[in-house]
Amino acid sequence: MGEMISSFDGMKLYLNKEVPDNARAVLVIVHGLCEHQGRYDYLADLFHKAGIGTYRFDHRGHGRSDGERTYYSDFNELLDDTNVVVDMAAAENPDIPVFLMGHSMGGFTVSLYGAKYPDKKLRGIVTSGALTHDNAGLITGVPKGLDPHTQLPNELGGGVCSVAEVVDWYGKDPHNTKTFTTGLCYAICGGLDWFKEKEKEFNYPVLMLHGEKDGLVSVKDTYEFFDHAASEDKQMKIYGGLFHEIFNEYCKDEVIGDALRWIENRI
């Protein structure tokens, strides 16, 4: 199941690869800030049952991957780590389509990825609560000019989900991090600035999902990205009353089912 792979610069990343026999497609899943790939076990299992394999990795500095905890020097590290896994998924499954999905900071990653790598053979991209403009000021509100290795407290917990058990376990999960660095924030700010010019060039088939009551990443981010993306095949679904982690909310089966059906319709 789990293995360590080398990224583009030699950084060791933890990869969890699960591909059922006779898989119809594979999905690369990109997790969010301060969390790890294991928080997507439930979602991945539903995809496996539908005959779709998954490739999940821990971002550098997250989970079981190497690297200074939650630190990035440049937003491209996020995109290029993802690219290593996308290339691996495509090379190892040459006869079936590859999809890409990202939540929150992972949604930021897959959105920018689509603009940076327009010629990848991806069949489609799914975003969940994607940080594409930071209308809520979650990251851009961090004071500038601090040492990039400064650790900030992770106070996301209460806002991640309306389900109490999810919030409770979020705080106890040993693979989640209690802090994140200012350097990560500065790197993401650089990516947001870059994306302002580039999002109009995003043209992959895309499904954008967001919780209407998301207090961490404003639903406006998804409205704006949907408006600007050049994709001919683009769909958006906003879930009334849901918080940030829509794949963990009380109606998670509906949300995951929407993503699964969208992918199945494009295999």
Side-chain angles (χ1 to χ4, degrees):
M1 299 274 276
E3 60 183 295
M4 299 300 283
I5 61 167
S6 289
S7 193
F8 65 95
D9 59 354
M11 180 69 73
K12 292 288 189 285
L13 303 179
Y14 179 79
L15 175 72
N16 177 6
K17 179 168 57 175
E18 299 170 291
V19 182
D21 293 337
N22 303 314
R24 302 186 289 153
V26 291
L27 173 67
V28 176
I29 299 171
V30 187
H31 72 75
L33 173 68
C34 294
E35 59 164 0
H36 61 99
Q37 61 80 28
R39 297 190 73 234
Y40 295 81
D41 284 350
Y42 184 83
L43 177 147
D45 189 50
L46 291 179
F47 274 84
H48 302 155
K49 285 174 176 159
I52 296 170
T54 58
Y55 282 64
R56 296 182 273 158
F57 68 100
D58 286 339
H59 287 298
R60 62 179 59 206
H62 287 73
R64 293 175 234 189
S65 290
D66 289 352
E68 181 182 340
R69 293 294 89 184
T70 66
Y71 175 77
Y72 295 104
S73 60
D74 186 282
F75 72 91
N76 284 290
E77 292 172 336
L78 281 155
L79 313 190
D80 297 344
D81 285 342
T82 300
N83 190 48
V84 168
V85 180
V86 168
D87 280 351
M88 177 186 288
E92 293 178 351
N93 303 275
D95 301 321
I96 56 177
V98 178
F99 292 85
L100 181 60
M101 171 189 283
H103 169 70
S104 194
M105 183 179 80
F108 162 91
T109 301
V110 303
S111 300
L112 273 66
Y113 181 93
K116 179 173 180 177
Y117 293 104
D119 301 321
K120 291 289 167 178
K121 300 293 188 278
L122 289 171
R123 192 66 62 88
I125 294 177
V126 179
T127 70
S128 159
L131 182 92
T132 52
H133 297 86
D134 200 14
N135 280 292
L138 178 70
I139 301 293
T140 53
V142 171
K144 302 295 186 281
L146 298 172
D147 182 306
H149 302 280
T150 305
Q151 298 279 344
L152 303 171
N154 173 9
E155 295 169 341
L156 307 177
V160 296
C161 195
S162 71
V163 180
E165 292 84 358
V166 172
V167 174
D168 182 52
W169 177 242
Y170 181 89
K172 295 175 179 174
D173 189 327
H175 293 298
N176 284 348
T177 53
K178 302 287 190 285
T179 59
F180 55 96
T181 64
T182 48
L184 176 147
C185 299
Y186 299 158
I188 289 177
C189 286
L192 291 170
D193 288 342
W194 177 85
F195 197 51
K196 278 177 193 155
E197 303 301 315
K198 292 289 187 179
E199 66 179 329
K200 299 174 187 64
E201 299 171 21
F202 182 103
N203 58 19
Y204 283 101
V206 62
L207 172 65
M208 304 178 189
L209 307 174
H210 216 116
E212 176 232 355
K213 292 280 193 286
D214 190 334
L216 302 178
V217 178
S218 171
V219 68
K220 286 185 191 163
D221 282 30
T222 287
Y223 286 139
E224 289 180 23
F225 181 29
F226 186 84
D227 189 39
H228 298 153
S231 310
E232 288 184 15
D233 176 7
K234 57 179 177 178
Q235 295 182 5
M236 171 174 62
K237 186 163 183 182
I238 310 301
Y239 297 91
L242 297 201
F243 283 21
H244 184 52
E245 291 191 350
I246 53 177
F247 294 136
N248 286 328
E249 279 283 0
Y250 57 89
C251 58
K252 61 188 176 185
D253 287 351
E254 177 189 349
V255 181
I256 296 168
D258 287 340
L260 179 56
R261 276 186 297 278
W262 185 87
I263 286 173
E264 286 180 323
N265 286 334
R266 283 156 186 80
I267 291 175

